[in-house]
Amino acid sequence: MRHLTATHWGVYEVEAGAGGAPALRPFAGDPAPSPIGLDALGEEVARLRVRRPAARRGWLEGTGGRRGDDDFVEIGWDEALDRVAAALARVRAAHGNEAIFGGSYGWSSAGRFHHAQSQVHRFLNAIGGYVRSVDTYSLGAARVLMPHIVAPMEELMVSHTSWDVIADHTKLFVCFGGIPAKNAQVSSGGAMEHRIPGALRRAAEAGVRFVNVSPVRDDIDTGGPVEWIPIRPNTDAALLLALAHTIHADGRHDRDFLARCCAGFERFVPYLTGAADGQPKDAAWAAAITEVPAERIVALAREMASTRTMLNASWSLQRAEHGEQPYWALVTLASMLGQIGLPGGGFGVGYGATNLMGSPNARFGGPTLNQGRNAVRAFIPVARIADMLLNPGAPFEYNGGRHAYPDIRLIYWAGGNPFHHHQDLHRLAEAWQRPQTIIVHEQFWTATARRADIVLPATTSLERDDIGFANGERHLIAMKRAVPPAGEARDDFAIFAALAQRLGAAAAYTENRSEADWLRAIYDDSRVRAKQAGIELPAFDDFWRAGIATVGARNARPVMLEAFRGDPAAHPLKTPSGRIEIFSERIAGFGAADCPGHAAWLDKVEWLGGAAARRFPLHLLSDQPSTRLHSQLDHSAHSRAGKVAGRQPITLNPADAAARGIGPGDTVRVFNDRGACLAGAVVSDAVRRGVVRLSTGAWFDPAPADDPAGPERSGNPNVLTRDAGSSRLAQGCSAQSCLVEVEAWRGPAPAPRVYDPPRFAARSS
Ligand SMILES: Nc1nc2c(c(=O)[nH]1)N[C@H]1C(S)=C(S)[C@@H](COP(=O)(O)OP(=O)(O)OC[C@H]3O[C@@H](n4cnc5c(=O)[nH]c(N)nc54)[C@H](O)[C@@H]3O)O[C@H]1N2
Ligand SMILES: Nc1nc2c(c(=O)[nH]1)N[C@H]1C(S)=C(S)[C@@H](COP(=O)(O)OP(=O)(O)OC[C@H]3O[C@@H](n4cnc5c(=O)[nH]c(N)nc54)[C@H](O)[C@@H]3O)O[C@H]1N2
Ligand SMILES: [Mo]
């Protein structure tokens, strides 16, 4: 029997394979299916499952020990649930719910009911609340900046001009950071029809000229020629300012658009021309910062002003120190070009970052689990977790406000992997020793599971019923259980229901509904919202029987900000002026020197033009991995096939490799003052000189306690990245601002150990 299952990286068909065991096949309805999930039922994946509840011995026996070094002891479910409930009750009684950190950031799985982050938030709300995290690692700087100057990121993301409009109208498409089809493999909830490879090909065939401004060449593939402008990382704001300078100096800025649709242009001009600070932001100035020749900058600006031009910034640009600035500069330049709201012109913020941007499909609010109300007000910007744990009570700034870090005694994590996603992991490992109790639900023995006090085994999507839905996709998927749970794994929902029962909150958490009741309820809610948006979804039973529901493609061809451009008074933006804010009084009023009132180039701690580059002369890009989603399925055959000698590949330019005596396939040590890791060398001129690329997601595998100075062994870039906010405005993750050195590793190299299942200790008492 065939059913469908949804993952973030695509829909798969579950069929009987050899010997009758279920096997996964690509979804026939997908024009470019992703291989990421095909091995999800493989032996390599199964051997790392968490099969029984397990407790850290020092925590279980009250003898201390260190998270990360200690043994685990397997225990029964009843004891595990009793101990977790008791730990929660103890912390609430002694310190209140303000001492529980339940941010639990992470992508978890695609199904919308068993969405672990929603489940853990709903559970913690049912028992009195928790300290939450705001924003995302994806879009820390942009999510805070963009609502002040144009519109919330969520709104922009779902309203990008569609790819068919681009093919018909765009003449010049300038992307900053490519349009990586590797990233568009995924969409939160399930990329069901992978559109980007075909869309790029059709646009190129229709005559769109693509220019890629990026430290790497291979983050776009249109099947045709693409001009590559190999910019220094983190300097896009300077280039964008110089493009704006040229357009202004030529008098080709669109005065009508600036007057009708924008606010504060006249307050930005003195900075642009240098009247304010003596430094014109001209092409010669930017050439020294960006290493893009001044003539190319001037010529590109003139091309932009004379033809229908789309500008796009990858999300990576804002995951950096002062990551707000390239986004603000992009919007500023697009406003000066005056093509915002015209078919094929204006700007995009993340074409290619996931499958969503540029989708033509109808929009409606899909099924989601209501998380309830949080009675605790304290929060942190998501990437400030180590600061919070290390500095309880310390002040921090965020979006114009002053706040204090809460004093956390208990961490609850389900559906995320902080020892994947956070920066400066050695610092996080220290901060992680502070709380009394750390509880983790996991499917696999990840680095985070290995640093918990108690790990509760969670089922995978293939082991439970759920509904797959993602913004901008054409289908809802009835995800039917395909295999029995591994070992004693339970659904997150079942685990929380049992805990809520012990804590007297069962009714608040479950509303006396079973899994089946919930699936029907969240589908029916969504069906009402769909109807309001003019979309007819089948009744739940028909949907479940058919296994899929298809939402018709809408006929309209979306153009971002079209209505606003047509009549800004009738369709004002949600900014203070109702218009695009080239100067923001509000942000200027926050008084943060690292995010002034208009787009600016600001010097950085770690970039190739700064003093730090004398010791660490290579800029590390830790981009998203092509062979997996973050750390998920890193142990699968597909991800492993992408490794070099068992480690994450690092790509070096031939000149940088030769200068260090490094050849393809060599094991190298990548290091800076924060840490070191081993990686496998790939030598390619697809990365510019001075830049190395080490994609994220190799499982964190630090040297053992008996070799404290040894390097991390699987190639995890987050032992190197800097743990600092993008600015006092947004406090976003700034992983892309990181300098390193690389050297050949001579002699035998320690093999990664993290892909071996843990060995369990016996209980001493
Ligand atoms: N250096 C650097 N670091 C980065 C980035 C970067 O560009 N550079 N990117 C950042 C970005 S944008 C992001 S979004 C983050 C991603 O960081 P995360 O979202 O934390 O990474 P994942 O590996 O997807 O972690 C999800 C975890 O949830 C588990 N899981 C899946 N389904 C379930 C479930 O149903 N129940 C339970 N209990 N667990 C489940 C998986 O096994 C996995 O361990 O990383 C960030 N880190
Ligand atoms: N296969 C796969 N796809 C994914 C993910 C995954 O883990 N695996 N993660 C998903 C998630 S959670 C997110 S948030 C998105 C992230 O999407 P992005 O943040 O856009 O992804 P990255 O791969 O980090 O970067 C995109 C490109 O930007 C380039 N770049 C980096 N720094 C600079 C710079 O300073 N200037 C310029 N001009 N270019 C630069 C990089 O070299 C890279 O080629 O991806 C999503 N897609
Ligand atoms: Mo992300």
Side-chain angles (χ1 to χ4, degrees), residues 345-716:
F347 68 89
V349 276
Y351 281 112
T354 71
N355 197 41
L356 168 62
M357 275 61 68
S359 160
N361 295 326
R363 302 293 145 74
F364 67 100
T368 58
L369 178 68
N370 184 334
Q371 301 186 4
R373 229 192 101 262
N374 190 346
V376 173
R377 302 202 38 200
F379 72 95
I380 57 164
V382 67
R384 302 275 52 80
I385 178 171
D387 288 354
M388 169 185 76
L389 296 175
L390 290 169
N391 308 298
F396 68 91
E397 286 177 50
Y398 171 75
N399 205 6
R402 278 163 205 284
H403 310 272
Y405 288 122
D407 188 354
I408 297 302
R409 308 300 171 109
L410 184 148
I411 295 178
Y412 209 125
W413 223 293
N417 188 354
F419 282 90
H420 157 72
H421 64 232
H422 197 58
Q423 287 55 66
D424 199 349
L425 288 179
H426 295 308
R427 180 171 187 257
L428 180 65
E430 278 314 308
W432 198 253
Q433 305 300 331
R434 302 288 176 100
Q436 284 164 19
T437 305
I438 299 182
I439 304 157
V440 170
H441 295 191
E442 251 301 346
Q443 301 165 334
F444 298 104
W445 280 105
T446 62
T448 298
R450 289 168 200 250
R451 282 162 185 76
D453 294 323
I454 185 156
V455 185
L456 303 179
T459 51
T460 66
S461 301
L462 288 161
E463 297 165 352
R464 59 200 185 205
D465 289 341
D466 212 333
I467 300 173
F469 167 84
N471 257 327
E473 298 293 339
R474 237 158 41 90
H475 309 296
L476 278 91
I477 303 295
M479 301 165 59
K480 294 181 192 168
R481 180 180 302 120
V483 293
E488 297 177 14
R490 294 187 184 178
D491 301 346
D492 296 288
F493 172 68
I495 300 171
F496 287 128
L499 288 172
Q501 179 75 46
R502 282 169 172 73
L503 293 165
Y509 176 67
T510 66
E511 294 178 32
N512 300 315
R513 284 174 173 157
S514 66
E515 176 198 57
D517 298 337
W518 274 109
L519 293 181
R520 184 180 295 272
I522 66 171
Y523 180 89
D524 286 346
D525 281 349
S526 168
R527 193 163 172 238
V528 172
R529 288 190 295 274
K531 200 174 181 81
Q532 287 158 0
I535 298 160
E536 238 5 281
L537 290 182
F540 178 79
D541 292 318
D542 296 329
F543 160 64
W544 198 256
R545 214 171 302 119
I548 186 167
T550 298
V551 180
R554 79 174 154 196
N555 292 322
R557 292 154 55 91
V559 172
M560 191 201 269
L561 297 170
E562 187 174 40
F564 163 71
R565 179 201 181 88
D567 188 346
H571 304 281
L573 302 176
K574 291 179 197 125
T575 61
S577 60
R579 294 186 278 173
I580 295 173
E581 303 222 344
I582 294 182
F583 185 95
S584 163
E585 296 286 355
R586 200 199 268 156
I587 292 177
F590 295 160
D594 53 7
C595 191
H598 56 74
W601 161 256
L602 303 166
D603 194 17
K604 296 173 201 329
V605 178
E606 294 190 28
W607 70 294
L608 289 174
R614 285 200 283 273
R615 283 184 62 221
F616 298 109
L618 299 171
H619 194 116
L620 175 81
L621 298 178
S622 49
D623 69 335
Q624 312 294 321
S626 58
T627 54
R628 56 185 175 261
L629 173 70
H630 315 130
S631 68
Q632 297 192 43
L633 296 182
D634 183 35
H635 49 313
S636 71
H638 180 65
S639 178
R640 289 185 157 199
K643 309 248 170 184
V644 171
R647 282 178 243 273
Q648 186 62 30
I650 184 168
T651 312
L652 299 101
N653 181 274
D656 292 322
R660 291 166 178 78
I662 294 167
D666 287 356
T667 296
V668 298
R669 178 172 169 269
V670 192
F671 62 98
N672 60 20
D673 286 336
R674 289 178 288 269
C677 68
L678 298 179
V682 171
V683 178
S684 163
D685 62 5
V687 304
R688 57 157 278 154
R689 262 195 96 152
V691 170
V692 293
R693 172 172 59 196
L694 179 64
S695 302
T696 59
W699 284 14
F700 176 53
D701 192 12
D706 58 9
D707 178 25
E712 192 278 340
R713 299 174 289 196
S714 66
N716 186 314

Side-chain angles (χ1 to χ4, degrees), residues 138 177 182-183 213 219 234 236 315-316 319 353 624-625 628 630:
S138 317
K182 68 166 172 85
N183 289 4
V213 179
D219 51 11
N234 290 196
D236 302 79
W315 294 353
S316 198
R319 204 173 300 115
Q624 312 294 321
R628 56 185 175 261
H630 315 130

Side-chain angles (χ1 to χ4, degrees), residues 90 222 243 428:
R90 234 174 5 249
T222 68
L243 293 164
L428 180 65

